[in-house]
Each structure stands twice: as structure tokens, then as C-alpha cells.
């Protein structure tokens, strides 16, 4: 089975491909935005893997949490490929993929990402089992939760905020890796977490800035 997967929940673009025997993965870090870089990056990556989009049997996609705009870009791209080829999509939680960077860690692994001002996305995994499902919390409430975890290690672009109550992991650990992304796609496929393209949605835990501004304007009328 040929699987292509991508994740755009962070500032990096993570892509992976497997034909069941060989595994290929790549992370892109650069100044170009996801909307500009994603299509040519995927095109070049698949060429290097010597595979065509029409050859893919299953598409995988990280659904977040993360930047709302970045998630929409990645998911729309996967949906387009899946629609054109009439193939299914396997969604995976991006935080779980990040937690796999510390799979041998005996401590609680906490993923914390920047959300809107004063809030963070937070989730926790213990031996890769979900202890706290992805949530969006005020920073002070996130501090309270972290104090109750077992010697937590925090990773993510908001990890530095919590260095007084937890061990902060290296920056490179906050990004998904293609081999782990593919692993989760395969596990979810086996568990029948398979969706038609139009059924897949990003893991939105908060409203967009545009939605919140609209609500404020409507309340002010």
C-alpha cells in the first residue's frame, strides 16, 4: 500500500511517503509561507520518491491543533489530491505525532503551542497514551495543569513559557517527523479511521480571529 502524508500544523512542512517497504520523509523550514511552498515541495518530494499522485492508495494528514491558516492550507491540499484520485484520507492528531519524538521518555510529555493571546493549545501523553486531549486553555490554567503532571517535559512553540514548572525539550522536538506521521496514519488505517475527503476537518479548538471580531461587531450593534 502506497501512503503519502503531510502535516502543516507548525512552521515546518512535514511530508512522508511509504510503499510498505521503503520510507521517505522530509521537513521544510524556510521563509516562504505554506501557501507558496507546499505545492512545489510536494511535487519535488514525490519525484524524488519516484511516485505519482495517481499511484497513491491512501492520503494522511495531520489535523492539528495548530495555526488555523496553516491547517486549512494543508488539509485543502490533501483533500484536492484525494478527490482527484478518489482515494481516502486518514486523519491524525498532530500533537500525538510530536509526542512520538520523545517516545522513550518515562516522563509526561506535554505539547504546548501558541493559540490566541493569553491562551495555549495543550495536550499530554504518557507512554504515548493520551492523558489530556488537545485543548485550548488560558496560560494560567495551563500552569495549574502542568503542576499536576509527573515531572513533565514540555515541547512546542509555547514551551518556554513554562520553564519554571517543567523541563523544556529541545526546539527540534516540537516538529512532526515524517516517519512518525506515517506510523500514525498506518495505525489509524488499521483502526478504520478512514474518511472520505469531504469528511475530514481540522482540529479547531478556538474560533478564528475573524470570527471573534465579527462576534464583537455584532454585539456592539
Amino acid at each position: 500500500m502506497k501512503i503519502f502524508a503531510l502535516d502543516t500544523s507548525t512552521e515546518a512542512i512535514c511530508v512522508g511517503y511509504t510503499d510498505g517497504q521503503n520510507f521517505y520523509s522530509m521537513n521544510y523550514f524556510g521563509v516562504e509561507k505554506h501557501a507558496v511552498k507546499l505545492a512545489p515541495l510536494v511535487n519535488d518530494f514525490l519525484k524524488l520518491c519516484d511516485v505519482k499522485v495517481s499511484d497513491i492508495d491512501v492520503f494522511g494528514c495531520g489535523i492539528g491543533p495548530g495555526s488555523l491558516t496553516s491547517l486549512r492550507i494543508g488539509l485543502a491540499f490533501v483533500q484536492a489530491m484525494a478527490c482527484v484520485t478518489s482515494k481516502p484520507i486518514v486523519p491524525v492528531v498532530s500533537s500525538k505525532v510530536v509526542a512520538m519524538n520523545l517516545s522513550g521518555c518515562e516522563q509526561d510529555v506535554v505539547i504546548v503551542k501558541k493559540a490566541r493571546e493569553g491562551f495555549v493549545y495543550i495536550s499530554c501523553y504518557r507512554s504515548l497514551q493520551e492523558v489530556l486531549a488537545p485543548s485550548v486553555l488560558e496560560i494560567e490554567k495551563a500552569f495549574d495543569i502542568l503542576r499536576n503532571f509527573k515531572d513533565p517535559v514540555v515541547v512546542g512553540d509555547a514551551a518556554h513559557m513554562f520553564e519554571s514548572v517543567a523541563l523544556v525539550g529541545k526546539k527540534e522536538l516540537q516538529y512532526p517527523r515524517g516517519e512518525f506521521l506515517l506510523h500514525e496514519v498506518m495505525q489509524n488505517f488499521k483502526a478504520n479511521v478512514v474518511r472520505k475527503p469531504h469528511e475530514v476537518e481540522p482540529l479547531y479548538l478556538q474560533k478564528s480571529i475573524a470570527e471573534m471580531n465579527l462576534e464583537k461587531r455584532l454585539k456592539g450593534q
Side-chain angles (χ1 to χ4, degrees):
M1 182 170 63
K2 297 178 179 179
I3 301 173
F4 171 76
L6 66 81
D7 186 288
T8 57
S9 65
T10 70
E11 62 183 344
I13 297 175
C14 173
V15 293
Y17 166 75
T18 181
D19 59 7
Q21 293 182 326
N22 303 297
F23 289 79
Y24 306 87
S25 67
M26 179 174 65
N27 274 24
Y28 167 81
F29 301 85
V31 295
E32 291 183 293
K33 300 295 185 181
H34 289 5
V36 175
K37 191 63 180 179
L38 184 57
L41 178 73
V42 170
N43 183 60
D44 290 343
F45 177 74
L46 292 179
K47 283 183 179 179
L48 287 172
C49 297
D50 193 26
V51 64
K52 299 177 181 178
V53 172
S54 57
D55 296 330
I56 305 298
D57 298 305
V58 175
F59 292 92
C61 187
I63 59 172
S67 163
L68 304 186
T69 300
S70 295
L71 288 174
R72 283 194 290 263
I73 290 169
L75 181 54
F77 191 86
V78 172
Q79 286 174 318
M81 290 191 293
C83 283
V84 168
T85 57
S86 299
K87 298 296 172 58
I89 297 176
V90 175
V92 300
V93 177
S94 303
S95 294
K96 172 68 177 298
V97 179
V98 172
M100 293 177 72
N101 289 332
L102 292 95
S103 58
C105 182
E106 295 181 358
Q107 299 162 262
D108 287 346
V109 177
V110 183
I111 315 301
V112 282
K113 297 182 179 181
K114 296 176 183 176
R116 65 182 185 272
E117 186 175 356
F119 289 77
V120 293
Y121 298 117
I122 183 171
S123 54
C124 179
Y125 298 86
R126 184 176 299 154
S127 299
L128 295 182
Q129 298 301 309
E130 187 180 89
V131 176
L132 174 66
S135 311
V136 59
L137 296 176
E138 293 180 11
I139 293 175
E140 287 305 314
K141 290 184 179 179
F143 265 106
D144 292 338
I145 286 178
L146 273 166
R147 293 187 182 99
N148 293 321
F149 286 142
K150 174 188 174 183
D151 300 324
V153 178
V154 292
V155 294
D157 61 7
H160 63 280
M161 299 180 185
F162 303 93
E163 59 185 0
S164 63
V165 294
L167 176 65
V168 177
K170 295 180 180 180
K171 183 179 180 180
E172 55 265 31
L173 297 176
Q174 73 184 38
Y175 304 111
R177 289 170 54 181
E179 59 267 39
F180 295 148
L181 178 63
L182 289 168
H183 177 273
E184 277 302 288
V185 171
M186 290 187 289
Q187 291 301 308
N188 283 3
F189 182 83
K190 291 177 182 177
N192 201 33
V193 183
V194 181
R195 303 287 183 265
K196 295 179 181 178
H198 69 276
E199 296 175 331
V200 185
E201 297 182 355
L203 185 57
Y204 286 165
L205 300 177
Q206 65 173 2
K207 296 178 181 178
S208 68
I209 299 297
E211 289 175 308
M212 290 188 285
N213 288 338
L214 176 59
E215 289 181 355
K216 289 179 181 178
R217 289 198 296 270
L218 292 175
K219 288 180 180 179
Q221 292 180 353

